[in-house]
Structure formats: C-alpha cells, structure tokens
Amino acid sequence: GIAITESNIGSTYELMNQLDSAWHYEHRAYQQMMRLKLVNNLPYVLRILGNIEDKRGNVRQAMHFYAQSEQAALRENNLRNVAFVRTEMARLYRKRNQLDSCLLYARQGLADGQKGSYKREILAAATLLADVYRPISPDEALRYYDIAAKARD
C-alpha cells in the first residue's frame, strides 16, 4: 500500500542524495508500518534510514538503524536483507577503522549471501573483504576477489 510507495519514493531520493526528502518519505513509511504492524518490508525501510543517516555523517544513528534492520530481517527470515545490511555494517566499521568488526560482519554478509545465492550481496561483501585484506594479506584479498569475480559472472 501507501507505506511501500512512500518507502520507494524515499529510497529513490536517498539514491539521488536528496536526504531531507528521503528521510521524510522513509520515516513516514516506517511510522505507517509500525502503526499497521506491517513487518515484511520493515528491514528494508530500516536499512534505507541507516543509509540516509550514514550519508548525513551520523554513523552512530546509521549503525542503530542497521542493527534494527538486521534484527527485523532475522525475525522475518529475510536472508537477502540480512546479507546486505551486515555488509553495510561492515562498511561503516571500516570507515571507523574497526577492522576486526568490519571483517566479522563482512564475512557474515558473504556467508548469508552465499546461503541464498544472492549475487549482488556476495559481490558487495567479497569486494569489501578483498579491499580490506589487500594491504594486510594479498593471498586473502585474491581469494575474495575471485569470489567477487564469480558472483559477477
């Protein structure tokens, strides 16, 4: 219904980096979903809210929304969103120079993507892992670049 439409509008604004408009529509979608107890798309909406906060530079708030998205996706057994949001969390940890947490979440995102054969999620997680490992373990980086290349095919 209307909540999904508003979420789609919000995510489009987020991709266009029009963050105030993105927040407006995505937050409205979130409120409607909570009010009507529509849980199916909640992981996606929470992830987009996390993306918006990340782009605004609010890392703590972004991580809060990502963690909520992860939990909602796990409750709904939405493995694709679990994989995607864990890779987003890994990216944020990398930004904060918390490489142990980055590697943990990126590996989890990759494993979740592989369980569901989600090529986009495998590609994102494997590429992140390869980039992180490149300066510290070239062999590991090569292994993850290989996984990314296979997902791309």
Side-chain angles (χ1 to χ4, degrees):
I2 192 87
I4 293 170
T5 300
E6 288 192 318
S7 177
N8 289 338
I9 293 169
S11 66
T12 300
Y13 277 125
E14 183 255 327
L15 291 172
M16 295 168 37
N17 289 316
Q18 295 183 11
L19 302 181
D20 290 339
S21 295
W23 176 260
H24 170 78
Y25 284 102
E26 217 53 56
H27 192 257
R28 282 176 51 129
Y30 170 77
Q31 289 175 323
Q32 288 177 28
M33 287 179 181
M34 294 305 290
R35 189 178 71 248
L36 299 172
K37 298 184 184 352
L38 302 172
V39 294
N40 288 355
N41 286 30
L42 191 58
Y44 176 79
V45 170
L46 289 164
R47 183 166 47 86
I48 299 302
L49 288 168
N51 292 351
I52 294 165
E53 289 301 330
D54 178 30
K55 288 180 177 183
R56 287 179 164 175
N58 299 327
V59 175
R60 176 173 275 150
Q61 193 63 26
M63 194 61 81
H64 171 76
F65 282 119
Y66 287 152
Q68 285 187 313
S69 175
E70 177 189 31
Q71 291 307 307
L74 286 168
R75 280 191 304 274
E76 294 300 309
N77 200 26
N78 181 339
L79 199 55
R80 173 171 272 158
N81 199 79
V82 171
F84 202 87
V85 78
R86 284 180 172 166
T87 302
E88 288 299 306
M89 293 168 84
R91 191 181 50 72
L92 274 186
Y93 280 122
R94 182 182 186 199
K95 229 188 232 186
R96 296 169 81 176
N97 250 353
Q98 295 176 317
L99 292 187
D100 288 345
S101 295
C102 168
L103 292 171
L104 173 71
Y105 278 93
R107 283 188 205 110
Q108 289 177 342
L110 177 60
D112 295 329
Q114 289 171 325
K115 280 181 207 166
S117 299
Y118 303 126
K119 288 186 175 217
R120 188 174 113 191
E121 287 72 14
I122 294 168
L123 178 62
T127 301
L128 176 61
L129 284 161
D131 289 346
V132 171
Y133 273 115
R134 189 175 49 213
I136 57 176
S137 178
D139 289 343
E140 275 299 285
L142 190 56
R143 186 169 79 83
Y144 286 115
Y145 280 129
D146 186 50
I147 292 169
K150 287 176 182 167
R152 198 175 289 124
D153 292 338

